[in-house]
Amino acid sequence: MARLKVAMIGLGMASGHHARALLDLSDRIECVAAYSRSNARREAFATQYPIQTSGDLGAIFADRTIEAVLILTPPNTHLELVRRAAEAGKHILLEKPLDISFARSEAIVRTAREAGILLGIVLQNRFRAAALKLDGIVESGRLGQLVEASAAIRNWRPQSYYDVEGRGTRARDGGGVLLTQGIHTIDLLLSYAGTPKEVSSFVRTTPIHRMETEDLVTAAFSFENGAIGTLNATTCAYPGLAERIELIGTKGTAVFTSDRLEAAFVDGTSVSEGGEKIGSGAGADPMAFGHEMHRALMENFIDAVQNGAALRVTGDDALKAHSFIEAILAASR
C-alpha cells in the first residue's frame, strides 16, 4: 500500500515528538510539508528533522496528494484550521484540546462528521502499555462493578512556563491545568469509568503562579451507577509527580501510575505491568517523555485512514473530557 501523505501544521513544542514518530514510520507515512508562519521556527525545525518545511498554508490545503493534516497549533486556531481541512477533504490528527471553548469544540467534531473525514485526537496516554492493560482489565469485568474512580495530576510548571505569551490564558489556551495538562489523565479516567453525573469542586489560582486561569483544582463527583470519585489537578507540585488513577471495584483494585499498573483481585490473583520508563512530562519540561506513544497513536491513525480501523481517540471522546472539565469549572463558580 502507498505511504499516507500528510502535512504538519504548527512547529511549536509538540512538533518534535510528532516528527520523530513520522520518521519512525517512514515506511507507512510521508510528511511532505511542515508548516509554520515563523521563519525562525521553520529554520530550527529543518536543522533537526529531514522534513521539507513550508511557509505556504494555502498550498498545503490545495495539494490534493496530501490526504491528512496534523494540526499542532495553539488551541484558539483549531476550529478555523479544521474547517479548511474539511473543505479540502483532508483527514485530521488534532492536538489536544479540541479548542478553547466547548461550543467551538462541538463545532470541530460536527464539521468533521459532516465532511465525512476522520478526526483523531492527540491524547497519547491512551497508548501507554500500562493504560492499555488496565483497559483490558476493565473491559473484561475483572474489577467487578466500580465503586470509586479517582485521579491525581500533580505537575510542576515554573513561572517561566506561563511567561510565554498567551500561555495559560483563556484567549489562547482556553483554560489552565485542566484543559492543558489534566485532560490527558481525565480522558483516561473517563475511558475506564464513564462520565460523572454530579460534580462539586474548588478551583484556584495560587500565589505560586501569575496567570489568568487555574493552577489548582480539587473535585468530587458521582457516577450514574452510584460510584464516586475525586480529582486533584495542579501545576504547583514541585518537582512534578507521575499521574495516578485508582479504580476500586467489587472484585478488585487497580492503580495506574504513568508507566506502571498494579492490580489485585479478591480471588487472589494480581497483575503487574510496566517498565517502559519513558517519562511523563510532569516536571518543568512538559515534553520530557519519549515519543513512543505518539508513534502508536500515529500508527492507529494510519490504520484508520487506510484500512478502516477504529480510531482509539475520537473527537467524541475528547468532547467527553471537555464536558467534564466544563462541569468542574461551573461547579466551582
Side-chain angles (χ1 to χ4, degrees), residues 5-58:
K5 287 193 174 185
V6 303
M8 186 187 302
I9 300 174
L11 299 180
M13 188 165 54
S15 62
H17 280 57
H18 287 276
R20 287 187 283 274
L22 286 164
L23 294 172
D24 281 357
L25 299 169
S26 59
D27 60 328
R28 300 195 63 195
I29 190 168
E30 178 186 6
C31 186
V32 299
Y35 166 83
S36 174
R37 65 182 180 182
S38 164
N39 186 57
R41 285 194 172 182
R42 293 197 302 272
E43 290 180 353
F45 183 86
T47 64
Q48 297 183 70
Y49 306 106
I51 297 173
Q52 181 67 42
T53 60
S54 171
D56 190 344
L57 186 58

Side-chain angles (χ1 to χ4, degrees), residues 105-143:
S105 298
E106 282 187 309
I108 283 174
V109 175
R110 183 171 60 252
T111 296
R113 183 182 297 116
E114 291 174 352
I117 58 173
L118 291 175
L119 174 64
I121 309 300
V122 183
L123 288 165
Q124 71 274 359
N125 282 7
R126 291 268 197 122
F127 293 87
R128 288 186 179 272
L132 291 167
K133 188 72 173 182
L134 180 52
D135 187 58
I137 288 171
V138 172
E139 285 295 314
S140 70
R142 288 190 69 185
L143 288 175

Side-chain angles (χ1 to χ4, degrees), residues 6-10 18 22 29 68-72 93-94 298 301:
V6 303
M8 186 187 302
I9 300 174
H18 287 276
L22 286 164
I29 190 168
V69 290
L70 283 57
I71 298 177
L72 317 179
L93 186 59
L94 179 67
M298 201 165 293
F301 183 71

Side-chain angles (χ1 to χ4, degrees), residues 16-245:
H17 280 57
H18 287 276
R20 287 187 283 274
L22 286 164
L23 294 172
D24 281 357
L25 299 169
S26 59
D27 60 328
R28 300 195 63 195
I29 190 168
E30 178 186 6
C31 186
V32 299
Y35 166 83
S36 174
R37 65 182 180 182
S38 164
N39 186 57
R41 285 194 172 182
R42 293 197 302 272
E43 290 180 353
F45 183 86
T47 64
Q48 297 183 70
Y49 306 106
I51 297 173
Q52 181 67 42
T53 60
S54 171
D56 190 344
L57 186 58
I60 288 174
F61 286 120
D63 188 340
R64 294 186 179 182
T65 70
I66 296 174
E67 302 169 75
V69 290
L70 283 57
I71 298 177
L72 317 179
T73 53
N76 64 342
T77 66
H78 286 180
L79 176 57
E80 288 71 27
L81 289 170
V82 165
R83 283 174 171 161
R84 291 186 70 176
E87 289 172 3
K90 301 186 189 305
H91 303 294
I92 300 165
L93 186 59
L94 179 67
E95 261 290 351
K96 63 78 192 168
L98 287 167
D99 208 291
I100 60 172
S101 72
F102 190 70
R104 285 174 62 88
S105 298
E106 282 187 309
I108 283 174
V109 175
R110 183 171 60 252
T111 296
R113 183 182 297 116
E114 291 174 352
I117 58 173
L118 291 175
L119 174 64
I121 309 300
V122 183
L123 288 165
Q124 71 274 359
N125 282 7
R126 291 268 197 122
F127 293 87
R128 288 186 179 272
L132 291 167
K133 188 72 173 182
L134 180 52
D135 187 58
I137 288 171
V138 172
E139 285 295 314
S140 70
R142 288 190 69 185
L143 288 175
Q145 179 181 329
L146 287 181
V147 297
E148 191 204 3
S150 295
I153 307 109
R154 297 188 177 97
N155 290 355
W156 166 249
R157 297 292 186 268
Q159 180 58 40
S160 57
Y161 173 86
Y162 293 109
D163 288 341
V164 173
E165 184 179 359
R167 192 169 284 166
T169 65
R170 293 183 181 87
R172 194 198 82 155
D173 286 352
V177 63
L178 291 178
L179 203 57
T180 304
Q181 288 84 25
I183 192 170
H184 287 289
T185 307
I186 289 169
D187 169 66
L188 266 182
L189 180 70
L190 301 189
S191 75
Y192 300 138
T195 304
K197 301 300 180 183
E198 186 177 4
V199 181
S200 298
S201 66
F202 294 97
V203 176
R204 299 286 186 268
T205 305
T206 72
I208 294 173
H209 294 126
R210 297 183 304 277
M211 58 185 294
E212 181 182 8
T213 53
E214 83 286 349
D215 64 359
L216 178 65
V217 175
T218 296
F221 39 86
S222 62
F223 297 88
E224 198 168 72
N225 74 340
I228 59 174
T230 60
L231 171 74
N232 173 248
T234 187
T235 53
C236 301
Y238 180 85
L241 309 175
E243 75 232 63
R244 184 180 179 93
I245 291 176

